[in-house]
Amino acid sequence: MHFTQSSKIPNIYYRPEQTLCPSCNLPLKRDHILWHKQVIFSTGAKNLVNWAYRCPKITYPGSKKIFKSLKADAVHLKYRRFSRELVARIGYQHFWHHRTMYEIYDWLINDLHLKISAREVA
Ligand SMILES: [Zn+2]
């Protein structure tokens, strides 16, 4: 069994916290996707999409500077395939309820309805 690629997975878009160019004060323009990744939260999988923005004045000096979401970068660094919140919940099950990996896997599949493999849990 492996992770199901579903079109029903919601997209979460990140954009820079800053909306105006610090040089010309014009609204920043959406430029390209910096990265996108799928992260599994205890509520299910989400596609995180981080957009890079830049100054709308293309010829303006410094317009090549890219603005991006700091929050998204923090998410990118912290989370791998699983959200920190889900990892914490798995750890809780493991240490406090002394559940085996198999029991945790069962809990994730049947109680949280996540489509993940036993290998991923381990
Ligand atoms: Zn500008």
Side-chain angles (χ1 to χ4, degrees):
M1 191 198 290
H2 61 88
F3 192 78
T4 311
Q5 293 290 335
S6 168
S7 57
K8 281 183 283 184
I9 295 171
N11 288 322
I12 307 292
Y13 297 101
Y14 288 98
R15 43 177 295 166
E17 287 75 15
Q18 188 166 13
T19 54
L20 300 177
C21 171
S23 307
C24 62
N25 239 22
L26 288 171
L28 294 170
K29 194 168 161 269
R30 195 165 73 181
D31 197 58
H32 64 275
I33 291 175
L34 277 171
W35 52 259
H36 59 93
K37 71 189 291 194
Q38 198 173 78
V39 176
I40 303 167
F41 295 85
S42 63
T43 50
K46 287 183 176 68
N47 286 316
L48 306 182
V49 183
N50 192 20
W51 279 96
Y53 279 60
R54 59 170 174 77
C55 175
K57 291 183 184 177
I58 298 165
T59 56
Y60 200 78
S63 67
K64 281 180 183 149
K65 182 172 159 56
I66 288 299
F67 296 88
K68 55 185 181 172
S69 167
L70 299 175
K71 193 181 157 196
D73 273 357
V75 168
H76 193 36
L77 286 174
K78 275 180 205 159
Y79 303 151
R80 290 170 191 278
R81 285 269 287 165
F82 302 97
S83 75
R84 186 185 241 190
E85 165 243 354
L86 180 58
V87 170
R89 286 185 69 175
I90 291 170
Y92 184 84
Q93 291 290 325
H94 184 58
F95 293 108
W96 294 98
H97 298 288
H98 304 289
R99 286 191 175 183
T100 64
M101 277 302 163
Y102 182 79
E103 287 170 327
I104 290 168
Y105 174 63
D106 193 62
W107 167 70
L108 290 168
I109 300 298
N110 296 313
D111 294 348
L112 300 181
H113 307 290
L114 298 177
K115 292 179 178 66
I116 56 176
S117 70
R119 201 165 50 86
E120 285 181 299
V121 176

